[in-house]
Every structure is written in structure tokens, then in C-alpha cells.
Amino acid sequence: MSPAISPPELHVLQALHEDWQTVGSLVSEIGAFQKEALRQDEVGTLVVRLCARLYALSRVETELLYPCLDPCAALESGQKMHEQLMGDVQGLLDAVVVQDRFDNSIELLADRARSLRRFEYEEIYPRCVQTDVDAIGKQLTHRRNQLLESFNTE
């Protein structure tokens, strides 16, 4: 789903699922480009797009989705995982800026993103069935677009 499009009925979990798919595609694309030994700046552009998507996804989940759910230990764990991921995003962006080798940072970020995605799908999203998360659809779309535009990558 293009971040500029706001459908009349946005299904929040579907939108988040599509964002996670985009993250997976970007990770795969970066891996393929690394094997082809492209220049660091070419991979760097993809890395910035990945970081922007992860940043926006993490923020909308923690700012908009989590508050809709009843407090539980899973939300605390999820919050901590999001914080770790954001630290990894910042570290990777720093490596891109100084044009440092960031292969290990990408692998670490990809592993944490996969773990967080699995956690969200197994622990958080099932809890959404008990509440009307689609009520935050327009707010989620607006906030995600705002965050992505701050990176100016999508």
C-alpha cells in the first residue's frame, strides 16, 4: 500500500502486515545487492528506506496500536523490543552516514526485525481481536505518512 493513499476503510492489521512485508522485501533486496557487491552508497539508499519503514512501523505500533490494548506483560515486552530495534536503526543509519561497512549491523537489524515481527504476530495482533483497532485507521495512516515523509524516502 502506498503511504500516500488513505482508503476509506483501512484495516489496521492488514496495513501493519503490509508494512512488515515491505520490511522483509527491503531486507531481501539489500541482501541480494550485497552479494552482487554494489557500491555502499547504492546499498545505503536501500538501508535508509528500510530504517525509515521500521521507524514508522515501530512508532505507529507503540504510539497508536499498543494504547488500544489492555495492559499486559506482552505490551511491556513489545515496547522493549521496539526500543532495541530503534537503537539498531540509529546505529545502522550512523554507519550509512559515515559510509562505514554496515553488513553486520544490517544482519543484526534484520534478525531483530524478524523477532519483533514474530512477536507482534503471535502476542500482540491476536489481542487486537478484542478491541476495535480499525478505529485508529485514519490516524495510523496519517502518522505513518508523516514519519515516512520525515525521512523523505517513500
Side-chain angles (χ1 to χ4, degrees):
M1 176 165 76
S2 170
I5 297 173
S6 178
E9 292 182 23
L10 176 74
H11 297 287
V12 169
L13 294 181
Q14 180 61 35
L16 294 173
H17 172 71
E18 289 171 4
D19 281 346
W20 279 115
Q21 285 182 314
T22 300
V23 165
S25 296
L26 286 167
V27 167
S28 296
E29 203 172 339
I30 290 166
F33 282 148
Q34 285 178 305
K35 288 176 186 168
E36 295 174 14
L38 291 182
R39 294 189 338 243
Q40 287 293 103
D41 62 324
E42 293 173 308
V43 176
T45 301
L46 287 173
V47 168
V48 171
R49 288 184 59 215
L50 171 65
C51 289
R53 183 60 65 166
L54 281 170
Y55 176 75
L57 179 57
S58 183
R59 294 287 300 269
V60 298
E61 284 189 348
T62 57
E63 290 177 8
L64 301 174
L65 181 67
Y66 280 25
C68 291
L69 304 175
D70 292 331
C72 64
L75 290 178
E76 285 183 38
S77 296
Q79 185 70 36
K80 288 177 185 173
M81 292 175 80
H82 279 284
E83 289 170 9
Q84 281 183 318
L85 185 68
M86 289 303 91
D88 294 340
V89 163
Q90 186 60 55
L92 186 53
L93 287 172
D94 289 345
V96 169
V97 168
V98 297
Q99 296 184 341
D100 193 9
R101 296 285 303 166
F102 43 78
D103 298 348
N104 292 337
S105 298
I106 291 172
E107 289 176 28
L108 175 65
L109 182 72
D111 287 343
R112 287 206 205 218
R114 279 189 289 273
S115 294
L116 180 57
R117 178 184 180 175
R118 190 171 33 256
F119 178 82
E120 295 290 333
Y121 277 72
E122 292 172 3
E123 298 292 331
I124 301 299
Y125 296 171
R127 296 175 192 284
C128 294
V129 174
Q130 302 165 359
T131 187
D132 182 21
V133 294
D134 287 339
I136 64 167
K138 287 183 182 179
Q139 189 179 5
L140 180 139
T141 300
H142 174 74
R143 183 66 175 139
R144 178 181 43 188
N145 291 345
Q146 183 182 44
L147 292 164
L148 289 173
E149 286 172 12
S150 73
F151 274 84
N152 197 22
T153 62
E154 299 289 324

